[in-house]
Amino acid sequence: MTANCILERITETKSTNDDLLVRWRAGQLIDPIARIAHKQTAGKGRAGRSWLANPEDSLCFSLAFPFKRTPAELSGLSLLVGLAVISGIAQACDLNESKLHELGLRLKWPNDLLLNGCKLAGILIEGGQAKAGDATWMIIGIGINLRNAEAIEANLGNGLKASSIQQITNSPPDVEYLWLKLIASLEHHLAEFDQHGFKPCMGSWMKWDAYRDHAVCISGAGKDAVNGIAKGVDEFGALLLQQENKTIAIHAGDVSLRIQS
Ligand code: ATP
């Protein structure tokens, strides 16, 4: 298996996403690049949140990928990346995807992987199109907990639960091996997405949906919270929320989904 992109391995950085964003803004990106850091000291989540990683227990990398599509045509990308990560994990752990489903792996709209309700991996997508006619460069950051979820959880300090690959398989794959499987899966899924968009993956995403038919609350983006029953996603990857007499579509942006308490 050979990755068709440039591979960069570094010992330490603040954020692999920021490193690649700087290069994109300076017009320095030409070919796809995957950049992995052994230690990431200021990993980012969405909306200014942090992504925590302990060097020995985590895999953190970013992939800069050029799309022919414009930014407006990339809806559903974070959902597609979730599917690509599942496929990469399955290959690296030598398990089929239905076994991962049986073990409790799910996708939380719009951008997280959960294992039995506890966060296993986070996805952060940034980037854009510098000017009309240029490629749209998206920097896809992925953080995965490999082991010691308890240590991560203790550092989160917000009562949220974390999980790790170790809970899927007693002998987590070698980081480099997992990384290469993830890159290969991403390259395949992103190329397909660039051609066909999210629609062909809609059914597949719904099989992994963590909150289908659950009462959920959507909040953030400076708007009032919205409640409803989660009903999967539409062909653009928007979350469908059933309310008393209507179904509304919520687009990703910076909104957060929570189970209604
Ligand atoms: P929300 O839950 O509001 O939708 P999010 O799931 O999109 O937010 P992100 O911004 O993607 O969250 O990720 C950052 C959040 O993930 C942090 O606020 C923290 O609660 C949690 N987190 C950070 N690092 C880890 C980690 N290594 N493992 C599990 N959860 C983490």
Side-chain angles (χ1 to χ4, degrees), residues 44-47 49-53 58 108-112 119-124 144-145 152 156 158 160-163 255-258:
K44 302 189 297 181
R46 296 184 306 145
R49 292 185 284 268
S50 306
W51 184 260
L52 304 183
S58 314
K108 176 186 166 215
W109 184 91
N111 68 327
D112 288 324
K119 203 186 281 197
L120 174 74
I123 294 163
L124 173 68
I144 304 182
N145 302 323
I152 296 279
L156 287 177
N158 54 9
L160 290 177
K161 297 274 182 202
S163 57
V255 292
S256 291
L257 179 155
R258 296 268 182 279

Side-chain angles (χ1 to χ4, degrees), residues 1 15 35 38 89 122 151 154 164 176 241-242 245 252:
M1 169 193 52
S15 152
R35 182 173 173 86
H38 175 65
I89 291 176
S164 71
E176 175 80 11
L241 212 55
Q242 185 188 304
N245 47 9

Side-chain angles (χ1 to χ4, degrees), residues 74 85 89 98 122 136 145 164 185 187 210 222 243 252 255:
L74 292 180
V85 172
I89 291 176
S98 47
T136 300
N145 302 323
S164 71
S185 174
E187 285 185 319
Q243 298 184 314
V255 292

Side-chain angles (χ1 to χ4, degrees), residues 51-225:
W51 184 260
L52 304 183
N54 296 329
E56 305 307 329
D57 301 333
S58 314
L59 184 159
C60 293
F61 77 100
S62 299
L63 171 67
F65 190 89
F67 291 89
K68 293 188 193 79
R69 292 177 168 251
T70 64
E73 293 166 337
L74 292 180
S75 58
L77 178 59
S78 71
L79 284 70
L80 181 278
V81 171
L83 290 173
V85 172
I86 288 180
S87 164
I89 291 176
Q91 288 175 47
C93 294
D94 203 14
L95 293 170
N96 60 40
E97 294 190 13
S98 47
K99 181 68 186 170
L100 291 179
H101 196 275
E102 212 178 291
L103 290 170
L105 188 65
R106 295 289 184 277
L107 291 170
K108 176 186 166 215
W109 184 91
N111 68 327
D112 288 324
L113 276 82
L114 304 180
L115 185 64
N116 297 309
C118 306
K119 203 186 281 197
L120 174 74
I123 294 163
L124 173 68
I125 304 183
E126 304 177 280
Q129 188 179 37
K131 60 176 189 317
D134 280 7
T136 300
W137 279 94
M138 298 311 284
I139 318 294
I140 299 167
I142 296 173
I144 304 182
N145 302 323
L146 300 176
R147 52 182 87 75
N148 285 334
E150 319 72 46
I152 296 279
E153 236 168 62
N155 287 336
L156 287 177
N158 54 9
L160 290 177
K161 297 274 182 202
S163 57
S164 71
I165 296 282
Q166 196 169 37
Q167 292 160 269
I168 291 175
T169 162
N170 284 334
S171 46
D174 170 65
V175 183
E176 175 80 11
Y177 184 67
L178 174 57
W179 185 47
L180 293 176
K181 290 288 186 194
L182 289 167
I183 294 170
S185 174
L186 282 162
E187 285 185 319
H188 168 74
H189 281 82
L190 297 178
E192 290 284 313
F193 177 90
D194 206 13
Q195 282 204 17
H196 308 294
F198 177 70
K199 194 174 177 184
C201 301
M202 195 177 124
S204 170
W205 193 90
M206 297 229 240
K207 287 191 206 139
W208 295 95
D209 185 356
Y211 293 141
R212 182 97 192 245
D213 295 327
H214 285 65
V216 299
C217 172
I218 303 293
S219 61
K223 296 192 187 139
D224 289 344

